[in-house]
Amino acid sequence: MTTPNPSLPTGPNTAADRRAEALRKAARDKREQAVQRAENGIRRLIKENEEITFRSVARAASVSLDFLYAHADLRRRIETLRSQKQSATPIPAETASSDEGTVIHTLTESLRRERATHRERVRELEHRLAAAHGEILRLQRRLGERGLGDR
């Protein structure tokens, strides 16, 4: 009968297992931090009376849209808050036209929302551009490692 060699790693204590567990823990921690950032972003948007959309939350929390859509609890919360905000009663047109101050206020608010939407779109495009640049750099490095770059 052969006895196991105590110098050979066995079971869950191998270096590979420890590294894998460390990576899993790091991924869990990263996800929890992203959820916390999203929650804080939602609270800040509510406090500042900003429009609640997936894009505005992603921007406020520095998380991706995919992350928000994939996280069921956050997704439900954003959808609920968005629908509550949309169902708020707008100022009737007759009232707005009867008072010049209200018209100015309504137009100013509309302009503020449009500007915020445009800023959000620009940030999203800048984020996508930075990600594309990063991917290009990563691919160029891989080509360089294989001796295929800059021919």
Side-chain angles (χ1 to χ4, degrees):
M1 181 167 157
T2 308
T3 59
N5 185 345
S7 65
L8 293 176
T10 59
N13 293 330
T14 66
D17 289 339
R18 288 189 304 272
R19 283 192 300 272
E21 183 55 36
L23 287 173
R24 282 190 288 275
K25 183 182 181 323
R28 279 192 305 269
D29 291 346
K30 185 176 178 181
R31 180 178 171 86
E32 288 171 9
Q33 290 171 358
V35 169
Q36 188 60 46
R37 283 195 318 271
E39 291 288 346
N40 291 340
I42 290 170
R43 279 191 221 98
R44 186 172 57 85
L45 290 170
I46 291 170
K47 182 178 178 183
E48 295 174 0
N49 201 27
E50 295 285 331
E51 185 177 16
I52 306 292
T53 64
F54 284 93
R55 289 193 186 280
S56 66
V57 172
R59 184 187 75 240
S62 298
V63 297
S64 70
L65 288 170
D66 290 339
F67 175 79
L68 294 175
Y69 282 112
H71 195 282
D73 293 336
L74 289 172
R75 182 178 185 151
R76 274 192 298 274
R77 184 158 182 220
I78 292 168
E79 288 171 345
T80 300
L81 290 168
R82 183 178 59 187
S83 65
Q84 287 173 354
K85 191 78 166 183
Q86 288 173 348
S87 66
T89 55
I91 299 172
E94 311 83 54
T95 306
S97 63
S98 66
D99 184 18
E100 186 176 320
T102 306
V103 171
I104 292 171
H105 175 72
T106 303
L107 292 173
T108 303
E109 184 63 24
S110 174
L111 181 60
R112 185 195 63 78
R113 282 193 306 270
E114 284 184 35
R115 283 181 177 165
T117 300
H118 289 295
R119 281 192 302 270
E120 183 178 316
R121 287 180 184 159
V122 167
R123 283 188 195 112
E124 177 67 23
L125 290 172
E126 287 172 343
H127 179 72
R128 287 182 179 181
L129 180 61
H133 283 297
E135 181 66 11
I136 289 169
L137 180 60
R138 186 184 70 77
L139 291 172
Q140 286 174 338
R141 286 180 181 157
R142 283 184 64 194
L143 285 173
E145 289 170 358
R146 295 181 181 173
L148 300 172
D150 297 332
R151 286 191 173 189

